[in-house]
Amino acid sequence: QVQVVESGGGSVQAGGSLRLSCAASGLTFSSSAMGWFRQAPGKEREFVAAVIYNGAYKAYADSVKGRFTISRDNAQNTVYLEMNSLKLEDTAIYYCPGKKWKGLFLPLTPDWYNYWGQGTQVTVSS
């Protein structure tokens, strides 16, 4: 049984900050790549950020680079997404998928990741 649970979402005003958490169980977390994706109403699921198994390499979408920071704590089987300077267009359901992959390559497409949670809603208002 593999379970990924996202939390920390909520409502925030534009320009504000929010920290999302993603707890994984039943997964060899320290040997897994983890990513953050989001999906807004009427839009396709899009890549936000990703991190390799040991945290040494990270990738970000251009739209969030400089504003969002992905990190992981392998001792706690948890990955985080620190979101700053939030914009209206950041409103979406945020997902934290994972895949067992002890490599340096970070795929940015959602279909590569095989473990998904239910997501957490982030709403940014003006």
Side-chain angles (χ1 to χ4, degrees):
Q1 180 185 3
V2 175
Q3 186 175 9
V4 177
V5 180
E6 301 93 341
S7 63
S11 298
V12 63
Q13 291 186 338
S17 299
L18 209 57
R19 190 192 194 197
L20 306 183
S21 298
C22 175
S25 61
L27 177 69
T28 307
F29 188 82
S30 60
S31 298
S32 299
M34 302 295 295
W36 284 99
F37 289 77
R38 65 188 182 187
Q39 188 166 23
K43 293 189 175 182
E44 296 182 354
R45 191 164 297 185
E46 66 172 343
F47 167 77
V48 175
V51 58
I52 69 167
Y53 70 103
N54 63 359
Y57 297 102
K58 303 172 183 179
Y60 297 94
D62 289 341
S63 60
V64 306
K65 192 171 297 183
R67 299 190 298 120
F68 291 9
T69 302
I70 188 172
S71 61
R72 66 189 298 160
D73 185 346
N74 283 356
Q76 296 295 128
N77 285 5
T78 304
V79 62
Y80 304 95
L81 185 68
E82 181 72 35
M83 305 184 294
N84 299 310
S85 301
L86 283 162
K87 304 175 180 179
L88 273 298
E89 51 264 43
D90 293 322
T91 296
I93 300 175
Y94 283 72
Y95 300 90
C96 179
K99 184 173 183 176
K100 189 175 182 180
W101 175 248
K102 201 173 182 180
L104 305 180
F105 175 58
L106 273 177
L108 309 183
T109 56
D111 55 351
W112 185 81
Y113 299 84
N114 57 345
Y115 299 112
W116 293 79
Q118 294 301 120
T120 184
Q121 175 71 232
V122 172
T123 302
V124 183
S125 61
S126 61

